[in-house]
Amino acid sequence: MRVPRAIVALSSLAWATSTQTALASLSDGQWSLGEGFSLHRKTGQLEITKGNSSIWSTVPGKPFISASAGNDSVVGSSGAFKITEVDQDTCQDQSITGIDEIEWDGTVTGKATRISGELLKCGNASAQYALTFWVSNDLSDRVAFYVDISSSATSSGPLKKLYFRFSSSANEDFYGLGGQGSFASLKNQSIPVFSREQGEGRGDEPITSIRNANGSFSGGDEYTTYTGIPSYISTDSKVVYLSEKSTGYANFDFTQPDEVTIRYDSLSVDGAFTRANNLFDAIEALTAYTGRMPALPEWVDNGAILGIQGGQDKVNGIVEQGLSDDINCPIAGVWLQDWCGTHPQAGPYMNISRLWWNWENDEVLYPTWNEFVQNLRDQHNVRTLSYVNVFLANVSTKTTGYRRSLYDEASAAHYFVQNTTVNDTAVVSSGPGIEAGIIDLTNPGLRSWFEDVLRDQVWDANISGFMSDFGEYTPVTTDTKLYDTVSDAFFYHNAYPSQWAEFQRGVIEGLNLTSEALLFHRSAAMSSNRNMNLFWVGDQNVDWALNDGIKSVVTIMVHMGFSGYAQQHSDVGGYTTILTYNNLNITRSPELLGRWGELAAVSSSVFRSHEGNIPQVNAQFYSNSSTYSYYAYNARLFVSLAKYRRNMLKTESEPKGWPLLRPPVLYHPNDLRARNISYQSFYLGEHLYVAPVLDPQTFEVDVYFPGDANRTYESVWTGVVYKGGEDATVPAPYGKPPVFLVNGVRTPELEPFLDFVKKENGTKLSVD
Ligand SMILES: *[C@@H]1O[C@H](CO)[C@@H](O)[C@H](O)[C@H]1NC(C)=O
Ligand SMILES: *[C@@H]1O[C@H](CO)[C@@H](O)[C@H](O)[C@H]1NC(C)=O
Ligand SMILES: *[C@@H]1O[C@H](CO)[C@@H](O)[C@H](O)[C@H]1NC(C)=O
Ligand SMILES: *[C@@H]1O[C@H](CO)[C@@H](O)[C@H](O)[C@H]1NC(C)=O
Ligand SMILES: *[C@@H]1O[C@H](CO)[C@@H](O)[C@H](O)[C@H]1NC(C)=O
Ligand SMILES: *[C@@H]1O[C@H](CO)[C@@H](O)[C@H](O)[C@H]1NC(C)=O
Ligand SMILES: *[C@@H]1O[C@H](CO)[C@@H](O)[C@H](O)[C@H]1NC(C)=O
Ligand SMILES: *[C@@H]1O[C@H](CO)[C@@H](O)[C@H](O)[C@H]1NC(C)=O
Ligand SMILES: *[C@@H]1O[C@H](CO)[C@@H](O)[C@H](O)[C@H]1NC(C)=O
Ligand SMILES: *[C@@H]1O[C@H](CO)[C@@H](O)[C@H](O)[C@H]1NC(C)=O
Ligand SMILES: *[C@@H]1O[C@H](CO)[C@@H](O)[C@H](O)[C@H]1NC(C)=O
Ligand SMILES: *[C@@H]1O[C@H](CO)[C@@H](O)[C@H](O)[C@H]1NC(C)=O
């Protein structure tokens, strides 16, 4: 039953009551939503409060819902997408015609409160809207919302997008929205939510301009990311998110001092708001909805995961060398992405090695794959990880042979995303010479066939996981066809990463491998975290740069942590190696490899290296005894922190979603300097503060120590004690990334680390 409670109208951006009857029924102007939440109508403003805390409010005198016509323009190429927002006939005004209580399932009161009215001056048109609020039974600490706008034709075409605006304050800072790599606070930015190749450079020059020249956009910009997630947490401990079904293109606009506007590419959207006591509780509240990352297998604590390519003999040799007394590298596993074979792809100066996306072992590189995997395990307690992605490539030209062409089978069965223009597989390119299809996860037939493939020829070797690559490539054009055509391809695009993670998780659950398997993804979306036990921050350039080099790794982990991804890591050494035009090569130095290993050891839940995409021009950990010794030292440092990390994972990450790497703002939300730190320093849990070295030839770092003067930070290397509020220049030779014990607390879990520091204080490292 509908119970009309009030009628008001908002015209010309001001509030006015339309009728006498409306006036009478508006006397209290308050609607209870349950659990202490209530909606209030004040002059020119609606507000939701709980007790004396404001949860949500409209911006006085401004429309809170709007809409526009116009198709956003999206151009895609090899996973890079350029989006141009197009708004026509944006509605200029809004009226409120009623605030009612209506029946609503699953809420604490059995009801919801609905604000309805009209969007006005949308060119020649107007449209009905409803904004509904309720408190659900299963998550009663927050207010859920649903915005719905009726379709309406303007002279530019139908209304297509909605805007949802609410108030903020000039001193509210924002974090989250997925893998943001360029900013500390997102205040003053307008952040698109769309998963895609992050680009090579992302604003670092000159590579970004080179890559974006002549109509290409493979350089990306400061906003391109593999993982866009429509959720944020603010320094007011406010949590705002869209539901996991809301996979349409979204944009969160924080450019106005006193408002936030969510632009969403559909006429309806739902989500929730809440306000927690502090930022930790806010992460717990967010992850109560999204779910939390499943437990990380214990074996990852044992040492490094060596990224190697080149075949069985090479791998065995490098493992044996690492385990020798000389090198003394703790090795938890090897990660062999070329298990399926490689082929050269033409690039400037030299060919780049690419993988054959056909999930079986290559008989030249890994002729006795299953035995080889088992031997590493039996002889050295070393696990093997391989590589799988969302594509299957045409292997008809594979010169080292194949037993089964998955591409041919999937093409025949229409298991790929289809192209209606050519009435065939939508061929996805990833540079020249690769012809592949993207598997259609909306097709139950594909799922069951691919699960068999994974069981019979991937997991059948006694592997312990793989890089679960890609997820951000699904085309968005109108000639893209999915098996399940409920939504268009543009709307579906952001759902793919979650379906990919959920599918892979289902396979390992079916095989009873959840406590052994490590699957790492770079592409994720709202709620993918509940289906992946490790996030990897994607492909960075092998350099020191801000937007796409080593520094961006920390920034991405910060925002992913605020998005509910507690367990993260990066490719130690980076990935993207560039041999390109005049006077520009980006290749990995031994120093970058060493410092990146230090960073991983003191920030990440897994230590795994990558050779990069042109291994032969990069320093590798196995290049010589200096590089291997530095790498082994970093791996020992990582292992010394294992007890400390594991305790945090069990007591904080798994039950509450708290990340391991914690930016200073998490503990010091009122400290304006802390709010602006993206990569310069962070906490690893509560007891360690870290200021990593992320620049070349740098042997001291300037560190800001947040907090009151009674807070102490004791350098584990020198014993010098710094105080909260202080700035200091701290020594940072190779192997000694500045790490500080906070407030003198030495928990038992920290003992192995403090022992390492004492024992290895004299270890000499070099980057020759
Ligand atoms: C808000 O209410 C809580 C208890 O309901 C009280 O402890 C707190 O002091 C109040 N804060 C303000 C600013 O009134
Ligand atoms: C907008 O997209 C729709 C399909 O979603 C298409 O029918 C229409 O022609 C497009 N309008 C313009 C102006 O491109
Ligand atoms: C607005 O104009 C378009 C075409 O010019 C027309 O189709 C539509 O019906 C008009 N809308 C209203 C509400 O008059
Ligand atoms: C946002 O802009 C305001 C006004 O220019 C400035 O005071 C504030 O520091 C900026 N915040 C961030 C995080 O950029
Ligand atoms: C862009 O085009 C110009 C003119 O054709 C050419 O000289 C230049 O090399 C191109 N740049 C890149 C990065 O391809
Ligand atoms: C690069 O690979 C192509 C095959 O894709 C081959 O024809 C060519 O000789 C290779 N070039 C170099 C420099 O190895
Ligand atoms: C599309 O291809 C299928 C075979 O894969 C064929 O049966 C069907 O007739 C084709 N449709 C059109 C419109 O050509
Ligand atoms: C379908 O094929 C046409 C012609 O090759 C191409 O222009 C279009 O981009 C393709 N679309 C998809 C979704 O692959
Ligand atoms: C599943 O694996 C665990 C070890 O990880 C084992 O203890 C358990 O017995 C297995 N369950 C089944 C049904 O095989
Ligand atoms: C870039 O690397 C290529 C291949 O190693 C080399 O030939 C070229 O001289 C390098 N260019 C610069 C500017 O270092
Ligand atoms: C440090 O001082 C602040 C006040 O400046 C106080 O609130 C806090 O409890 C003190 N902390 C410790 C550990 O003494
Ligand atoms: C490490 O050695 C330096 C001198 O070489 C000494 O000052 C420092 O106290 C030592 N640190 C630890 C933790 O033993």
Side-chain angles (χ1 to χ4, degrees):
M1 193 185 63
R2 244 178 95 167
V3 187
R5 291 288 294 271
I7 300 175
V8 293
L10 175 71
S11 68
S12 304
L13 308 186
W15 288 69
T17 52
S18 57
T19 65
Q20 289 301 317
T21 46
L23 260 186
S25 59
L26 276 172
S27 52
D28 60 356
Q30 178 169 331
W31 294 263
S32 168
L33 301 169
E35 296 291 315
F37 289 101
S38 55
L39 173 70
H40 306 261
R41 185 194 63 81
K42 302 191 289 192
T43 311
Q45 192 181 30
L46 294 172
E47 182 175 30
I48 295 173
T49 59
K50 179 168 184 169
N52 52 17
S53 173
S54 179
I55 308 297
W56 175 89
S57 61
T58 61
V59 181
K62 282 200 184 177
F64 46 91
I65 307 283
S66 186
S68 72
N71 293 346
D72 284 346
S73 129
V74 188
V75 190
S77 171
S78 295
F81 291 86
K82 186 178 175 65
I83 304 176
T84 309
E85 296 181 359
V86 176
D87 292 297
Q88 292 166 334
D89 290 336
T90 306
C91 307
Q92 300 297 312
D93 203 354
Q94 177 187 9
S95 74
I96 297 177
T97 52
I99 301 181
D100 324 312
E101 283 187 343
I102 56 174
E103 292 193 353
W104 203 263
D105 284 344
T107 76
V108 295
T109 58
K111 297 200 163 85
T113 298
R114 183 178 65 186
I115 301 154
S116 43
E118 271 196 299
L119 304 181
L120 303 165
K121 302 184 191 166
C122 319
N124 65 336
S126 61
Q128 306 283 322
Y129 77 86
L131 166 61
T132 308
F133 291 115
W134 68 93
V135 175
S136 74
N137 281 321
D138 52 346
L139 291 169
S140 62
D141 61 346
R142 66 202 65 194
V143 176
F145 68 85
Y146 174 54
V147 179
D148 191 25
I149 297 172
S150 66
S151 60
S152 184
T154 76
S155 46
S156 312
L159 291 178
K160 290 227 155 161
K161 290 147 294 190
L162 68 80
Y163 296 80
F164 187 26
R165 176 193 283 121
F166 42 91
S167 61
S168 167
S169 64
N171 59 11
E172 187 176 12
D173 279 300
F174 305 95
Y175 303 86
L177 289 166
Q180 302 301 325
S182 294
F183 309 102
S185 168
L186 303 174
K187 180 84 175 183
N188 302 337
Q189 307 299 331
S190 183
I191 305 287
V193 178
F194 195 75
S195 72
R196 49 186 150 174
E197 282 278 0
Q198 71 166 21
E200 292 174 4
R202 298 188 67 259
D204 294 333
E205 295 296 2
I207 185 61
T208 307
S209 294
I210 291 172
R211 286 292 191 252
N212 286 346
N214 301 345
S216 165
F217 38 92
S218 62
D221 60 30
E222 288 89 338
Y223 304 93
T224 46
T225 171
Y226 297 104
T227 291
I229 296 178
S231 73
Y232 71 77
I233 288 173
S234 84
T235 45
D236 289 350
S237 305
K238 288 185 174 171
V239 182
V240 176
Y241 58 85
L242 305 185
S243 77
E244 64 180 284
K245 291 196 285 319
S246 303
T247 63
Y249 171 67
N251 190 301
F252 283 65
D253 184 350
F254 302 117
T255 59
Q256 300 304 308
D258 58 354
E259 62 190 56
V260 172
T261 302
I262 302 175
R263 179 189 190 274
Y264 188 68
D265 228 320
S266 169
L267 289 182
S268 61
V269 71
D270 63 338
F273 296 99
T274 193
R275 187 165 189 172
N277 293 322
N278 56 53
L279 299 190
F280 286 96
D281 289 355
I283 293 174
E284 189 175 349
L286 173 66
T287 54
Y289 172 72
T290 63
R292 301 182 176 115
M293 296 179 92
L296 202 56
E298 304 263 351
W299 63 262
V300 304
D301 297 350
N302 297 346
I305 299 174
L306 316 181
I308 309 172
Q309 300 185 85
Q312 293 178 190
D313 292 346
K314 181 176 169 190
V315 173
N316 281 328
I318 290 172
V319 167
E320 277 154 24
Q321 188 192 356
L323 294 173
S324 68
D325 291 345
D326 259 9
I327 301 292
N328 187 21
C329 184
I331 302 177
V334 289
W335 169 57
L336 312 176
Q337 65 165 11
D338 66 344
W339 78 290
C340 50
T342 61
H343 58 111
Q345 181 175 60
Y349 291 111
M350 66 176 72
N351 283 334
I352 296 177
S353 167
R354 298 295 304 261
L355 306 174
W356 280 114
W357 300 334
N358 185 51
W359 314 123
E360 62 182 19
N361 64 295
D362 182 79
E363 292 188 349
V364 172
L365 286 174
Y366 299 94
T368 57
W369 174 246
N370 290 31
E371 293 77 359
F372 161 77
V373 169
Q374 196 58 48
N375 283 344
L376 280 171
R377 185 74 177 270
D378 293 344
Q379 291 173 10
H380 304 302
N381 193 28
V382 166
R383 262 105 171 150
T384 299
L385 304 176
S386 69
Y387 175 93
V388 169
N389 69 31
V390 302
F391 302 115
L392 299 170
N394 187 345
V395 285
S396 58
T397 58
K398 185 169 187 272
T399 53
T400 54
Y402 57 92
R403 299 187 291 283
R404 193 176 162 188
S405 169
L406 299 176
Y407 178 85
D408 288 347
E409 290 178 37
S411 298
H414 291 98
Y415 285 157
F416 290 125
V417 173
Q418 298 290 303
N419 181 337
T420 56
T421 302
V422 298
N423 188 29
D424 207 342
T425 301
V427 174
V428 179
S429 90
S430 179
I434 294 183
E435 183 189 5
I438 180 167
I439 57 173
D440 182 352
L441 291 168
T442 71
N443 184 340
L446 168 278
R447 283 186 175 230
S448 117
W449 174 79
F450 198 52
E451 178 162 3
D452 290 348
V453 168
L454 291 171
R455 188 192 55 228
D456 296 345
Q457 54 187 67
V458 177
W459 287 109
D460 70 311
N462 190 17
I463 60 162
S464 300
F466 46 80
M467 174 183 275
S468 195
D469 203 5
F470 294 100
E472 62 289 287
Y473 270 56
T474 351
V476 301
T477 47
T478 48
D479 62 359
T480 306
K481 187 167 177 296
L482 295 144
Y483 176 89
D484 178 350
T485 51
V486 171
S487 56
D488 69 33
F490 187 34
F491 189 90
Y492 173 72
H493 179 91
N494 279 345
Y496 196 95
S498 281
Q499 293 194 349
W500 175 238
E502 171 253 330
F503 170 73
Q504 292 292 1
R505 186 74 191 167
V507 173
I508 62 170
E509 281 168 356
L511 294 170
N512 190 31
L513 284 171
T514 52
S515 58
E516 174 66 20
L518 182 69
L519 294 190
F520 44 104
H521 299 249
R522 70 181 186 187
S523 180
M526 173 58 80
S527 288
S528 309
N529 50 347
R530 73 166 83 108
N531 286 312
M532 62 175 74
N533 57 15
L534 183 63
F535 183 73
W536 136 66
V537 299
D539 297 346
Q540 280 73 42
N541 287 344
V542 294
D543 66 16
W544 306 90
L546 183 71
N547 295 296
D548 196 16
I550 189 172
K551 296 182 181 75
S552 68
V553 161
V554 180
T555 310
I556 293 171
M557 291 206 273
V558 163
H559 290 287
M560 285 301 285
F562 273 112
S563 306
Y565 291 71
Q567 298 156 196
Q568 311 187 57
H569 81 311
S570 66
D571 291 336
V572 167
Y575 171 78
T576 310
T577 315
I578 295 171
L579 298 181
T580 177
Y581 309 92
N582 305 332
N583 298 318
L584 179 72
N585 281 349
I586 300 179
T587 57
R588 181 198 291 159
S589 66
E591 186 183 27
L592 180 71
L593 180 63
R595 291 300 199 182
W596 206 310
E598 285 176 14
L599 172 65
V602 296
S603 69
S604 303
S605 45
V606 165
F607 186 103
R608 178 188 55 85
S609 51
H610 199 309
E611 291 184 334
N613 62 338
I614 314 181
Q616 63 272 34
V617 300
N618 281 336
Q620 302 298 348
F621 69 87
Y622 54 78
S623 292
N624 58 45
S625 62
S626 307
T627 52
Y628 213 154
S629 296
Y630 201 156
Y631 185 86
Y633 172 92
N634 288 332
R636 297 196 297 275
L637 174 57
F638 172 78
V639 169
S640 78
L641 284 161
K643 277 207 165 71
Y644 178 62
R645 277 194 307 272
R646 188 54 65 176
N647 182 53
M648 250 192 294
L649 290 173
K650 290 214 162 105
T651 60
E652 299 177 340
S653 304
E654 290 162 28
K656 297 188 271 196
W658 295 0
L660 296 189
L661 181 151
R662 301 174 185 173
V665 65
L666 204 41
Y667 288 97
H668 312 279
N670 299 320
D671 179 334
L672 297 184
R673 289 188 61 188
R675 290 179 179 199
N676 282 321
I677 294 175
S678 52
Y679 61 82
Q680 297 86 345
S681 59
F682 52 83
Y683 287 89
L684 179 68
E686 179 182 2
H687 304 304
L688 297 180
Y689 189 64
V690 178
V693 181
L694 306 178
D695 287 291
Q697 293 301 299
T698 297
F699 304 103
E700 47 184 41
V701 287
D702 294 331
V703 188
Y704 171 62
F705 297 95
D708 293 319
N710 56 1
R711 199 171 166 83
T712 61
Y713 298 85
E714 178 188 340
S715 165
V716 298
W717 306 109
T718 64
V720 175
V721 176
Y722 305 88
K723 286 193 163 63
E726 215 179 302
D727 283 283
T729 301
V730 176
Y734 293 135
K736 294 182 175 157
V739 177
F740 308 88
L741 269 183
V742 178
N743 287 337
V745 175
R746 294 173 144 76
T747 66
E749 291 80 23
L750 281 167
E751 285 310 322
F753 169 60
L754 298 172
D755 289 347
F756 172 92
V757 164
K758 266 187 237 136
K759 187 163 154 242
E760 305 246 10
N761 193 27
T763 303
K764 291 272 174 285
L765 300 170
S766 74
V767 296
D768 303 331

